[in-house]
Amino acid sequence: MLNATLTATTAPAARSKDSLGCLSNQLGRDLELDTGEFKFYRKSTVDDQASAVAMHGSDRGFLIGVSLKPGHRRRIYSAHRWTTHDFSQDSVYIRDFADDYKADLQRGFDFVLIELSRAFIANACYERNGSNVARLATLAGRNDPTLGHFAQILSLTLDRKSEASPLFVEQLGIAVGTHLLDQYGDTACSSFSKTRRLSSLQETRAKDMLLAKSQGSVSIEEIANACNLSRSYFIRAFRETTHRTPHQWLLEQRIDRARDLLRNSDYSLSQIAIACGFSDQSHFTRTFSQLVGTPPGTWRRQAAG
């Protein structure tokens, strides 16, 4: 796995590789979502066939892998010695692409991976406290339930890319980056000023911007700039003020609008889905059922008495 080339070859050199250097014919699942600022991947092997990977350093940034299941093992060469790491579910590795990398992947894997640019880490540090240090600790095999939770969400998002809200994906990337800086960032980067609430004007402006854009296409950066805040600070302050993330708040507003239309109009479910900013009726039904506890058609019949 990883952005790598196989060091031992008996098969033809022309075998195709994916965007991270994995041999495509060894992957049972190969999904990618490129937002421009973050890249998310889901990579899993067909079987437990071993492979060796090696790559030279580059300026791509950092790669974070989160294991979705136990059983993977890899030997990594670093500081003139080999170390072996076993991965359980929620085990994590962090790679700095600037460093040369060499590893034996001894068993199959199922990983969600997050690629963050060095510029993203530097900007996130600067937003926190004016430091432009861009370093994360490199590690392998450490258990991190929080990243494990993010990975589960990302795996579902990758499976349903067509339904993924840009606003939600942006928030998820920022949340992952914030956690990484908190837990594994350089000391100069890991501190963050105490969260504050939005002012009434900022709260109103943020909510108006969220509601004004259809399909969640407004970005956190746009809203944060309008409030004269950094993105990370804005998300924390919005959550402190509303007890919701911007995406959660927007979903609740759409569901409230949908309930009003279900009760007071004869629109079809597909018409209501589009009117309320959902990608299609299926997406609307799933979201409504999750938040309300019953499908929209059933809710409409019950509301009609």
Side-chain angles (χ1 to χ4, degrees), residues 125-126 128-133 135 181 185-192:
C125 287
Y126 186 81
R128 287 169 165 236
N129 52 26
S131 168
N132 61 0
V133 176
R135 287 196 297 269
L181 290 174
D186 184 275
T187 303
C189 223
S190 58
S191 61
F192 196 97

Side-chain angles (χ1 to χ4, degrees), residues 198 210 234-242 244-246 249:
L198 296 174
L210 286 168
F234 168 74
I235 290 178
R236 292 188 178 214
F238 189 96
R239 186 169 56 228
E240 182 74 12
T241 303
T242 67
R244 304 285 188 276
T245 68
W249 182 87

Side-chain angles (χ1 to χ4, degrees), residues 10 62 86 125 215 218 249 259:
T10 55
F62 298 89
D86 290 306
C125 287
Q215 297 294 333
V218 65
W249 182 87
R259 280 191 284 211

Side-chain angles (χ1 to χ4, degrees), residues 5-6 8-17 23:
T5 54
L6 291 176
T9 60
T10 55
R15 289 186 297 177
S16 62
K17 295 178 181 179
L23 289 174

Side-chain angles (χ1 to χ4, degrees), residues 58-72:
S58 72
D59 60 357
R60 286 178 64 177
F62 298 89
L63 185 67
I64 298 89
V66 187
S67 183
L68 295 176
K69 68 178 185 179
H72 178 58

